[in-house]
Amino acid sequence: MTRIFVAILLLITVGLRAAYAQQGTDAGVWVQVEAQPSLREAQDRAQVYANALPDVNGFRLNSGWYAIVIGPYLRADAEQVLRVYRAERQIPSDSFITFSGALGQQFWPIGANVLNRGAITAPVQPEPQPEQPQAGLTPQPSDETRSQALQSERLLSGQERKDLQTALQAAGFYSSTIDGAFGQGTRRSMAEWQRFNGFEPTGVLTTAQRKALMDDYNAPLISVGMARHVDDRAGISVDLPLGVVAFDRYEAPFAHFNPNGDLDARVVLISQEGSNTTLRALFEAMQSLEIVPLNGPRELRGDRFTIEGRGNGIVSYTQANLSNGKIKGFTLVWPEGDDARRARVLAAMTASFETTDGVLDAAAGANAEQSIDLMSGLQLRKPRLSRSGFFADPNGLVLTVAEAVQNCTRVTLEDGQELQTAWSDPELGVAVLRPNKTLAPMAVAALNEAQPRLQSEVAVAGYSYEGALGAPTLTYGKIADIRGLNGEAGVTRLSLTAQPGDAGGPVFDDHGNVVGMLLPAQTEGRTLPRDVSLAAAADRLHEILSKAGATAQTAKETGQVSPDELNRRATGMTVLVNCWG
């Protein structure tokens, strides 16, 4: 009764949205439940599923196999259908999400052509099927007696026996050790699989049944065209999902494989000469790439490393190993929400990865388009927002604007040093950040709390272009008023044209002391003239540092400093604060 209720609820929930997706099937998402090598078998199986489930369709794959899918749906609905039908064992446990781009001519329903890619119009009439309690693997008459099945089973290698146990486990029938030993537990799971699929439950799989079980288990790999790829230039041989990615180019130390369809998957092969120092540098560099999201475990141990990343709609895995002065490895990037298929692809790549003597020439791809936002053709990860800040005590405490830390999953300095918020004043818009490790700044701000003179010259140090120049720049101006626009104390008005990235930078007087911190330009309400900027006054900054448990350094120098000295101080204390989304 519960199963019927769940199925009815699912139909009501997604039915209308499935109809909507049907109107725009090029953007539709499907649940692939099975793939068969022949049209006849595929039509037979499609009929079985159509007798039990709605929205059953069938399409030819690029690999030549025939896929049975349910849909199309919107992405969220497809994931719900996948969860519910798998939980109810209406579809195999290794069913997965697929996309319209992977599908070709339509063979089911016979004559249908919803993707406008042609229909297979010569229908093969399905043979009468024995009544089955549920949809499962391909039913077929027994091709061997139990004695013959045992005899053919004895010819299996140890790995083939383990593979059968793994496939039974993936189908939900086996939960014991994968050891290749066919004891009572394995025999019982085989019998349950046979019974579920309409076969006589002998506990010994025939040759055809073993093939059906393994074909179903390998359907996710078949759907992505898993095949051997040998790259002599990189010195790597590995199984790759060549149905969804294709080789694009070399840019040392990488060989790039980009998507060739709707599935946003990518593969990067890694090949370079190096040492442990090179391996460590690669480990750090990979974590700065957009294809390696911030969230996930990462480990560098001895002569190898692994990095997992999840976020921004993708999941990536990187591994690399140093052997005989050569670093070889790969990165697999896969869209989120397709974890079952991703896990199978990753396992196949890891198990098949082999190296040869070759190594990618360091000059490979030297003529490729160059960009400061790229590393060997891979996009560097960019922060959601970058602002300036400055060291306020000898241990590396940083003063910056509050907007630099709002809604951030992680806050870092330019060198990757992580920071935590020690205190925040939302009214003034100032934040105090404490580094996770004690730092040793080249220079620390000396706060001059004396009231500045009107029209006196000041300079703001900041990363005007949010880190593009790699160092802070100085922007000069004057004190226009010692109060804010509404007469508020603790705020100084400057006659100075600043960029968004300058916000949070220190405001220097002509003695090289800090008299304030530049605040962000107003983005709501009135728009100020370009040469009007506001700064938090030094006395307010002193108060905020005290609340954060820090002691501000007080200005002592009274003589004017040279432009070179001012630039030295600005460079030593001004930092780039990065907010990662």
Side-chain angles (χ1 to χ4, degrees):
M1 184 65 182
T2 301
R3 179 175 297 173
I4 294 173
F5 175 77
V6 171
I8 292 173
L9 181 62
L10 182 64
L11 288 174
I12 293 173
T13 303
V14 306
L16 291 177
R17 288 182 288 194
Y20 172 78
Q22 191 86 33
Q23 298 173 7
T25 38
D26 281 343
V29 179
W30 310 76
V31 176
Q32 182 170 325
V33 297
E34 207 171 285
Q36 295 294 339
S38 73
L39 177 59
R40 177 59 175 269
E41 290 176 295
Q43 287 182 318
D44 289 349
R45 295 302 295 138
Q47 180 66 69
V48 172
Y49 281 104
N51 289 339
L53 301 172
D55 305 322
V56 174
N57 289 269
F59 299 91
R60 193 176 189 276
L61 300 174
N62 293 333
S63 64
W65 283 55
Y66 297 85
I68 300 162
V69 299
I70 305 173
Y73 304 108
L74 302 178
R75 179 61 183 262
D77 293 335
E79 292 174 353
Q80 183 182 5
V81 168
L82 182 65
R83 286 193 299 269
V84 173
Y85 283 168
R86 281 201 303 202
E88 293 296 324
R89 300 186 73 175
Q90 298 279 358
I91 60 177
S93 61
D94 57 358
S95 301
F96 54 86
I97 297 292
T98 191
F99 302 88
S100 296
L103 308 177
Q105 289 179 296
Q106 188 165 5
F107 70 83
W108 189 271
I110 294 172
N113 185 20
V114 298
L115 294 180
N116 295 319
R117 296 173 186 171
I120 299 177
T121 56
V124 178
Q125 296 299 325
E127 295 180 352
Q129 295 294 314
E131 184 178 352
Q132 299 196 29
Q134 299 179 56
L137 296 178
T138 304
Q140 50 189 296
S142 178
D143 60 321
E144 297 171 339
T145 65
R146 191 176 192 278
S147 176
Q148 290 172 327
L150 280 171
Q151 186 175 359
S152 65
E153 185 182 85
R154 294 190 188 101
L155 300 177
L156 298 175
S157 67
Q159 186 57 53
E160 288 172 329
R161 297 167 73 91
K162 291 180 181 179
D163 290 343
L164 285 171
Q165 289 178 323
T166 300
L168 287 166
Q169 186 180 72
F173 295 95
Y174 183 70
S175 58
S176 189
T177 306
I178 305 297
D179 54 9
F182 290 175
Q184 290 184 356
T186 303
R187 294 297 179 200
R188 185 163 48 251
S189 68
M190 288 181 176
E192 290 175 358
W193 181 89
Q194 289 171 319
R195 185 180 295 108
F196 178 76
N197 291 280
F199 297 112
E200 179 185 359
T202 64
V204 181
L205 300 181
T206 68
T207 301
Q209 290 167 6
R210 292 196 298 268
K211 181 180 183 303
L213 172 62
M214 293 309 300
D215 282 350
D216 186 70
Y217 175 65
N218 289 322
L221 300 182
I222 294 170
S223 72
V224 297
M226 210 70 183
R228 195 69 177 168
H229 176 78
V230 179
D231 190 328
D232 292 329
R233 288 185 64 180
I236 292 174
S237 177
V238 61
D239 291 350
L240 294 180
L242 297 177
V244 295
V245 300
F247 175 77
D248 185 68
R249 68 194 185 281
Y250 291 109
E251 285 191 51
F254 304 131
H256 296 264
F257 292 75
N258 289 342
N260 61 6
D262 291 343
L263 188 69
D264 190 20
R266 299 178 67 182
V267 172
V268 177
L269 300 184
I270 303 169
S271 176
Q272 67 177 132
E273 295 181 341
S275 61
N276 283 97
T277 301
T278 315
L279 185 74
R280 178 175 291 277
L282 180 64
F283 177 70
E284 298 296 338
M286 293 298 297
Q287 296 179 68
S288 70
L289 298 177
E290 198 172 69
I291 63 170
V292 182
L294 290 169
N295 297 325
R298 42 214 67 193
E299 181 181 46
L300 172 63
R301 179 177 296 181
D303 58 359
R304 65 191 62 210
F305 71 74
T306 59
I307 305 172
E308 295 181 39
R310 184 182 292 268
N312 301 323
I314 64 171
V315 182
S316 78
Y317 174 86
T318 302
Q319 70 173 45
N321 180 70
L322 170 64
S323 178
N324 298 322
K326 299 172 184 177
I327 299 172
K328 304 283 183 73
F330 68 84
T331 296
L332 173 67
V333 183
W334 208 262
E336 283 187 311
D338 194 15
D339 286 347
R341 186 160 56 162
R342 179 188 62 82
R344 290 295 310 281
V345 171
L346 177 58
M349 288 181 63
T350 302
S352 66
F353 189 84
E354 296 178 352
T355 62
T356 59
D357 290 338
V359 65
L360 192 59
D361 188 339
N367 296 325
E369 180 181 355
Q370 300 297 304
S371 170
I372 62 171
D373 295 330
L374 298 177
M375 184 188 83
S376 298
L378 293 175
Q379 186 74 42
L380 292 170
R381 188 189 305 109
K382 293 183 179 180
R384 184 175 63 80
L385 178 142
S386 296
R387 293 293 182 260
S388 300
F390 57 94
F391 289 120
D393 83 342
N395 295 320
L397 208 68
V398 173
L399 272 169
T400 188
V401 288
E403 73 170 9
V405 298
Q406 290 174 348
N407 303 317
C408 306
T409 59
R410 193 163 161 252
V411 179
T412 68
L413 297 179
E414 188 177 15
D415 62 1
Q417 177 64 239
E418 290 199 32
L419 305 166
Q420 305 296 328
T421 302
W423 186 266
S424 181
D425 186 329
E427 181 180 354
L428 187 59
V430 175
V432 182
L433 308 181
R434 192 181 306 279
N436 289 351
K437 297 179 181 179
T438 300
L439 304 179
M442 294 174 59
V444 175
L447 298 182
N448 182 3
E449 298 182 48
Q451 202 170 76
R453 301 184 316 276
L454 292 177
Q455 299 303 312
S456 61
E457 291 190 352
V458 292
V460 171
Y463 286 82
S464 305
Y465 302 98
E466 302 188 38
L469 298 181
T473 58
L474 287 170
T475 304
Y476 292 88
K478 293 184 178 182
I479 299 288
D481 199 344
I482 58 174
R483 293 185 177 273
L485 294 173
N486 297 314
E488 62 269 31
V491 177
T492 303
R493 178 160 62 91
L494 308 178
S495 177
L496 179 145
T497 302
Q499 300 292 334
D502 290 319
V507 181
F508 292 96
D509 60 17
D510 56 2
H511 300 291
N513 299 314
V514 175
V515 295
M517 183 185 76
L518 189 70
L519 296 174
Q522 293 184 0
T523 57
E524 297 180 359
R526 299 175 181 173
T527 301
L528 300 179
R530 283 180 51 82
D531 63 347
V532 175
S533 299
L534 300 176
D539 56 345
R540 288 294 302 276
L541 297 178
H542 195 139
E543 293 175 11
I544 291 171
L545 285 171
S546 297
K547 292 178 180 178
T551 302
Q553 293 196 10
T554 304
K556 297 180 180 179
E557 297 182 55
T558 57
Q560 290 187 346
V561 297
S562 67
D564 286 345
E565 173 61 18
L566 181 61
N567 186 66
R568 185 192 69 79
R569 294 186 189 186
T571 301
M573 76 174 67
T574 309
V575 296
L576 182 66
V577 179
N578 292 320
C579 167
W580 303 92

